Amino acid sequence: MQHDNMKIQKRREYYLFSPWLRIFHWVMVDSIIVLFVTGILIGKPLEIMALEPTQTSMLMNWVRNIHFLAAYAFCASFILRIYGFITNKGDRLFPRFWEGRFYADTIDVALHYMLLKRFHRSYLRNPLARMSYAGLYVLVAIEVLTGFAMYYMTNPDGIGASLFGWVNVWLGGEMMTHLVHHYTAWAIVLFTSGHLYMVTRAEFMEGESEVSSMFSGSKLLEHVPVDASDVDVTEKV
Amino acid sequence: MEKRESLWEAYLRRGLSRRSFIKGCVALTSLMGLSTDMVSKVVEAAEKKPLPVVIWLHGHECTGCDEAFIRSASPLASDLVLSSIALEYDHLLSAACGEPFERHLEETIKKYWGNYILAVEGAVSTTDNGVYCMSGGKPFVDTFQRVAKGAMAIIAYGTCAVSGGIQGAKPNPTGSSGVGHYTGTKPIVNVPGCPPIPEVMTGVVMHVALFGKLPPLDSENRPKQFFGNRIHDTCYRRPFFDAGMFADRYDDAGAKAGWCLYRLGCRGPETYASCGNLRWYQGMSYPIQSGAACIGCANSNFWDSGASFSERLPKYGPLGDVDTIGAGLAIASTAGVALHGAMSVIQKQKRAAEEAEAEGGAHK
Ligand code: HEM
Ligand code: HEM
Ligand code: SF4
Ligand code: SF4
């Protein structure tokens, strides 16, 4: 029996994200929020009203230590991401510049997002999203490199300084490192606002169980996505 | 090559006692940033090593570095120049001038080829064949390269010589840059600062003089004993930074009370120098102690760090700094995606309506 306003749809389940990627993603979400807030406070510290440092809670020191703690948590969770990357095909959805299809697909999606086309084909992850994630990893890498370059220079003779110190020289001085770190932080914020919109949009407009995929690891799609071959398909109907 | 005397022989010749020689060596040891166990090594070197020949060149600059140098208190620069090094050529300090003086330079180069220390102060200017910095009728860049070829080691004094300094600041009309590009493979010590601390200047030349080799250097060829930490990491105002107690203006209560100058653009967090450790002029004071934020004068390109000296972030006219621009862009992009979302919903409804119509049509 079928209600008038009920629709039965066949959907296939595509398992994409390993638990490692998902854990990393949520650690990243939390740590980037913490890093951004504390980072801005490092750049423009709050004024605390006190007469002597000994009477305070060492606020600035805390802010910096929380920033560094979040930075370590973030980097540690990235190790999980690498493990997932090696073991699971669905964790490797990078932009496939080397495939001709990539460019046609990009135009397909771009026209749709410019509202010039009513829909775009179904993707596990569309080329624009792929590029934006690759872009974010670049931004985050810049933050990690510049961040540790500043952090480890407390001891210019140490191992940390020999690993990251070149960044300061390469950028033409440590002041530049601060500026690059600070500007890139804002670029990450801009990515995030677009990202949040795109995933919610996909979830509600295209019904692609997008947000839930970062919890369950799977997407439930109505159509066969054009990039289905990028994962080992577990089809459940 | 004639035999040159050592520091000890110079003391003897001037009738000074062994005691004052040892005292001098102890002072030198601490000045060079070496630990006291090194005293015996310093004494040994001072007894045997012939005094080093130093040629001091001036390029594109203000000679402020030389002004600082002659104010060194330990050793007194006069002692150093008269008895610890054989300073053969120096525009600013020489009584001689004109052709005989220039000829002396040529003779010195020839006589001590491969053995003299070249101290250089000021940038190299190259635009229009280097005509913006001439001395003795020759472009400085040529003289410098010629003298550098025969040097045992090169000491670049001051930010001008290290990275171009004030004349290298944007838009750099004279094409000035640090001397490092023109030294070939010669070992070079960078002693940045505008000017460097006098005792750092004398300390470095004494190290090269006594040990015949460069002091331990960091990745930017700066002597580690003087540039081994950031001002901020040993700043005596650091407790105020950690607590979050900042001066906001040079005349507010915080400034009077000696709070941290971070919000006034202090460059201590990115500047490597000994200002906080040695301080200036017999340890009298240094900029932060006298209430002024560090401007990072020992950093390469510090004139063009982007932000004004009293701010930490560059400002873009009415747009403000990156924090205001970033917040503005974040709001704009939120509004943008909201609008895009609304339009997408409309588009979807249209599509659904059209599809329903088409389906309806098909059923009939
Ligand atoms: C993951 C590795 C990271 C490390 C090791 C790191 C480390 C640092 C360090 C050492 C500072 C300078 C603190 C000081 O001057 O006292 C800093 C400042 C800052 N950080 Fe990070 N950070 C990291 C990631 C991030 C991320 C992901 C963001 C933003 C999304 C961020 C935003 C900021 C901001 C805005 C500042 C202030 C910069 C300034 O004006 O000097 N950081 N960070
Ligand atoms: C509550 C907020 C967020 C939600 C609901 C969310 C959701 C998602 C979803 C569903 C995906 C998978 C997209 C797909 O492949 O179709 C994803 C991927 C991703 N997200 Fe988020 N996200 C959030 C916040 C963030 C933040 C703050 C960042 C970083 C600044 C971020 C960075 C990424 C990255 C880099 C990927 C790609 C993962 C990969 O394949 O390596 N996300 N997110
Ligand atoms: S570094 Fe500064 S003090 Fe030295 S010569 Fe250049 S401008 Fe003058
Ligand atoms: S005054 Fe400058 S160097 Fe000293 S603690 Fe404050 S920011 Fe750091």
Side-chain angles (χ1 to χ4, degrees):
Chain A
M1 205 197 96
Q2 192 181 345
H3 285 288
D4 282 350
N5 53 359
M6 187 172 128
K7 226 162 75 181
I8 293 182
Q9 264 189 359
K10 268 197 175 179
R11 285 185 173 237
R12 290 182 183 78
E13 179 179 336
Y14 293 91
Y15 177 71
L16 294 172
F17 307 129
S18 70
W20 312 119
L21 184 141
R22 284 174 268 149
I23 295 170
F24 162 73
H25 182 268
W26 295 117
V27 173
M28 169 168 67
V29 172
D30 297 333
S31 57
I32 291 216
I33 293 169
V34 173
L35 283 165
F36 183 72
V37 172
T38 51
I40 290 297
L41 286 175
I42 292 170
K44 298 242 173 80
L46 298 172
E47 181 72 72
I48 55 154
M49 293 301 160
L51 289 175
E52 288 296 333
T54 45
Q55 297 161 352
T56 68
S57 56
M58 302 297 278
L59 181 73
M60 186 68 172
N61 195 34
W62 274 107
V63 168
R64 291 178 71 244
N65 284 340
I66 294 169
H67 192 83
F68 304 148
L69 211 68
Y72 277 117
F74 173 75
C75 293
S77 71
F78 192 70
I79 298 171
L80 301 179
R81 171 81 179 85
I82 296 170
Y83 180 74
F85 183 89
I86 295 168
T87 53
N88 178 32
K89 210 175 166 190
D91 288 8
R92 283 176 298 218
L93 297 178
F94 22 61
R96 299 184 161 233
F97 299 115
W98 57 91
E99 285 176 7
R101 205 189 68 208
F102 178 84
Y103 300 93
D105 289 354
T106 305
I107 294 169
D108 172 46
V109 179
L111 286 177
H112 176 212
Y113 287 164
M114 287 189 278
L115 303 171
L116 296 173
K117 217 174 139 183
R118 291 276 164 83
F119 56 89
H120 64 67
R121 289 191 287 274
S122 183
Y123 301 91
L124 290 175
R125 180 183 281 172
N126 77 56
L128 284 183
R130 288 172 183 230
M131 282 195 283
S132 76
Y133 298 142
L136 181 81
Y137 281 112
V138 172
L139 294 180
V140 168
I142 294 173
E143 287 302 82
V144 172
L145 287 176
T146 53
F148 282 116
M150 295 182 275
Y151 177 76
Y152 282 123
M153 287 310 277
T154 38
N155 175 13
D157 284 333
I159 305 172
S162 51
L163 286 176
F164 293 95
W166 57 270
V167 177
N168 297 320
V169 182
W170 191 68
L171 289 175
E174 207 166 312
M175 188 64 192
M176 275 313 283
T177 313
H178 279 265
L179 295 182
V180 169
H181 194 77
H182 201 122
Y183 282 52
T184 310
W186 278 107
I188 292 177
V189 169
L190 296 185
F191 161 87
T192 306
S193 77
H195 176 59
L196 291 184
Y197 169 63
M198 293 316 293
V199 293
T200 29
R201 182 182 192 278
E203 176 85 25
F204 294 110
M205 307 256 321
E206 289 158 28
E208 284 181 347
S209 63
E210 180 87 3
V211 175
S212 42
S213 72
M214 205 34 82
F215 292 95
S216 67
S218 306
K219 291 190 181 181
L220 300 166
L221 301 183
E222 195 179 342
H223 308 281
V224 178
V226 291
D227 52 355
S229 61
D230 289 355
V231 296
D232 304 315
V233 182
T234 20
E235 273 193 34
K236 287 186 213 148
V237 182
Chain B
M1 202 163 79
E2 83 207 61
K3 173 154 173 16
R4 286 175 291 129
E5 56 186 358
S6 69
L7 187 59
W8 171 227
E9 283 156 357
Y11 266 71
L12 281 180
R13 179 169 49 79
R14 296 165 76 209
L16 295 169
S17 68
R18 177 76 182 170
R19 187 187 169 81
S20 61
F21 171 70
I22 299 289
K23 261 167 84 180
C25 290
V26 171
L28 274 178
T29 312
S30 61
L31 175 97
M32 289 187 288
L34 301 173
S35 86
T36 38
D37 346 337
M38 292 288 286
V39 172
S40 57
K41 285 240 171 72
V42 172
V43 172
E44 211 183 308
E47 280 170 347
K48 293 194 193 125
K49 272 248 171 249
L51 296 182
V53 174
V54 177
I55 296 178
W56 192 302
L57 290 183
H58 293 77
H60 216 193
E61 53 137 358
C62 77
T63 63
C65 292
D66 233 344
E67 291 289 337
F69 179 75
I70 58 176
R71 283 162 182 77
S72 172
S74 54
L76 275 172
S78 53
D79 280 352
L80 184 89
V81 173
L82 295 177
S83 60
S84 314
I85 59 175
L87 187 60
E88 292 289 339
Y89 181 89
D90 184 327
H91 285 166
L92 202 74
L93 302 181
S94 296
C97 63
E99 272 184 20
F101 186 49
E102 294 303 319
R103 210 175 315 123
H104 183 62
L105 173 63
E106 301 308 321
E107 280 163 13
T108 312
I109 297 174
K110 234 182 266 150
K111 197 155 147 198
Y112 300 108
W113 186 262
N115 292 304
Y116 56 85
I117 299 172
L118 168 57
V120 52
E121 178 187 330
V124 166
S125 154
T126 48
T127 301
D128 299 334
N129 300 322
V131 295
Y132 301 114
C133 182
M134 313 262 292
S135 135
K138 298 186 194 99
F140 170 66
V141 53
D142 297 344
T143 311
F144 173 72
Q145 279 173 306
R146 199 158 41 82
V147 182
K149 242 184 224 135
M152 167 189 105
I154 297 165
I155 306 177
Y157 278 131
T159 303
C160 295
V162 173
S163 62
I166 190 164
Q167 48 284 313
K170 279 176 203 151
N172 193 358
T174 56
S176 291
S177 64
V179 301
H181 303 293
Y182 303 92
T183 52
T185 54
K186 287 281 148 150
I188 180 166
V189 192
N190 286 332
V191 187
C194 190
I197 300 174
E199 285 75 18
V200 171
M201 299 180 75
T202 45
V204 172
V205 72
M206 277 320 292
H207 191 115
V208 182
L210 281 180
F211 296 110
K213 58 177 187 213
L214 305 187
L217 302 177
D218 69 7
S219 58
E220 295 180 42
N221 288 334
R222 296 172 298 197
K224 278 185 187 171
Q225 69 257 48
F226 297 119
F227 294 88
N229 67 263
R230 287 184 287 220
I231 303 272
H232 183 65
D233 291 336
T234 58
C235 181
Y236 81 103
R237 296 194 185 204
R238 183 60 185 265
F240 295 102
F241 175 89
D242 285 337
M245 298 165 72
F246 302 99
D248 271 324
R249 289 187 356 201
Y250 280 113
D251 59 354
D252 68 5
K256 285 197 187 108
W259 292 0
C260 171
L261 301 163
Y262 185 74
R263 282 207 196 157
L264 283 164
C266 183
R267 299 288 197 268
E270 41 275 326
T271 304
Y272 299 77
S274 299
C275 299
N277 310 344
L278 285 177
R279 314 214 170 170
W280 285 71
Y281 305 125
Q282 293 100 34
M284 180 172 65
S285 184
Y286 73 113
I288 290 171
Q289 188 176 349
S290 63
C294 169
I295 61 169
C297 80
N299 295 340
S300 44
N301 312 320
F302 76 99
W303 300 104
D304 297 322
S305 68
S308 87
F309 287 148
S310 53
E311 271 150 6
R312 288 201 54 86
L313 292 172
K315 284 221 166 84
Y316 303 95
L319 293 176
D321 62 16
V322 65
D323 285 352
T324 20
I325 296 174
L329 286 177
I331 292 170
S333 73
T334 311
V337 296
L339 188 70
H340 191 270
M343 283 162 68
S344 305
V345 171
I346 295 170
Q347 189 194 39
K348 189 180 175 185
Q349 280 168 351
K350 260 200 209 149
R351 175 178 141 195
E354 275 170 27
E355 273 168 10
E357 213 171 84
E359 258 176 48
H363 273 291
K364 268 177 208 160

